[in-house]
Amino acid sequence: MADAQRPYVICHMTTSVDGRIKVRRWKTLVADSPYERVHGELNGDAWMCGRVTMQGYADSAAPLPEPVGDDANPVPRNDHVAKSDASGYAVALDAQGRLDWGARNDIEGDHVVVVLTESVPDAHLRALRAGGQSYLFAGEKTVDFALALAKLRALFGIERLLVEGGGRINGSMLRAGVIDELSLLLAPAVDGVSGTPALFDFPGEEADSMGGRCKLALTSCEPLPGGVVWLRYRITPVAGA
């Protein structure tokens, strides 16, 4: 069972048969990917991506008018809720505050919530407030995922979160024990390039493997058009691991 103090978390991803996630390189796939349709069927209240994925959305933002605040006064490290009644939320993991959202405070109607650490500069917090984005703090220098999820539930009422990150984000959240389900679109493609990011990635030794620390139980297997197979797994920690 998922912790009642945080959302139910589904990691939703597409991989090649060898577990890589660089979809743009697989030129043999049919043009119509089922990814967005399945995303909708998973019925998330919110979706979460990392800085690299969110960069494309931030780059298209209209700039803010100047100025955005008083540089002489420090900004307290308090969570900022600009909107708590949105129909959906787009959660951006941006630990160091590198994304410039400008005046963009939603993505296709989903209100932007930025997960930060306390190391971000005051100027960035002023810009987020001026742009109408919400933000929360989860950790001093690196993201505390359990804390971030608890705050997403408490501040925004998010009960079902889709994580669609890169391998490092997915891997970090898996290690933290906060992923409840895997929704995997297995594409009929082989990548094969050594070092290519995989579905779950984190640095470590053989003893750090999650192979003995979590159990995946297959809950459904559905063939989709174009040779894609939609696999769903319930993820549970192994007692004592």
Side-chain angles (χ1 to χ4, degrees):
M1 295 289 292
D3 188 334
Q5 301 304 311
R6 64 166 176 83
Y8 182 82
V9 177
I10 303 172
C11 181
H12 177 49
M13 297 290 292
T14 297
T15 73
S16 59
V17 295
D18 54 335
R20 268 75 171 217
I21 58 175
K22 287 287 187 181
V23 180
R24 60 178 174 76
R25 301 202 302 212
W26 312 335
K27 307 300 184 183
T28 58
L29 298 184
V30 296
D32 253 354
S33 167
Y35 187 88
E36 291 299 331
R37 175 178 67 79
V38 172
H39 172 105
E41 291 181 13
L42 291 171
N43 295 316
D45 303 316
W47 52 280
M48 174 189 284
C49 292
R51 181 180 59 82
V52 174
T53 300
M54 286 299 196
Q55 184 73 58
Y57 296 108
D59 283 347
S60 63
L64 281 173
E66 296 290 345
V68 297
D70 180 5
D71 290 343
N73 295 317
V75 180
R77 279 2 187 209
N78 298 326
D79 303 326
H80 173 66
V81 178
K83 188 173 186 178
S84 61
D85 59 351
S87 59
Y89 295 90
V91 182
L93 293 169
D94 188 19
Q96 309 307 320
R98 295 175 181 172
L99 293 175
D100 180 4
W101 288 98
R104 180 167 201 167
N105 55 33
D106 76 272
I107 298 174
E108 298 181 358
D110 295 336
H111 177 62
V112 172
V113 179
V114 185
V115 177
L116 305 166
T117 62
E118 295 177 10
S119 63
V120 300
D122 286 356
H124 187 67
L125 301 180
R126 295 190 188 95
L128 291 174
R129 284 176 174 266
Q133 301 88 22
S134 295
Y135 61 80
L136 60 85
F137 295 98
E140 293 184 7
K141 294 183 179 180
T142 59
V143 173
D144 180 332
F145 287 103
L147 177 58
L149 293 175
K151 288 187 174 186
L152 289 173
R153 178 69 180 263
L155 297 175
F156 303 98
I158 295 170
E159 297 184 355
R160 193 171 173 89
L161 173 68
L162 306 185
V163 172
E164 301 168 299
R168 287 297 182 97
I169 290 170
N170 297 341
S172 295
M173 294 187 72
L174 187 68
R175 289 189 78 180
V178 296
I179 296 180
D180 303 294
E181 182 179 334
L182 173 61
S183 168
L184 178 63
L185 295 176
L186 189 63
V190 175
D191 192 298
V193 178
S194 179
T196 297
L199 174 61
F200 296 107
D201 262 337
F202 54 81
E205 305 298 329
E206 184 171 341
D208 299 312
S209 169
M210 295 299 296
R213 302 186 184 194
C214 64
K215 181 178 179 181
L216 276 66
L218 183 67
T219 59
S220 68
C221 176
E222 180 182 348
L224 299 179
V228 175
V229 179
W230 182 18
L231 301 168
R232 296 183 73 172
Y233 294 92
R234 187 77 170 85
I235 300 177
T236 54
V238 174

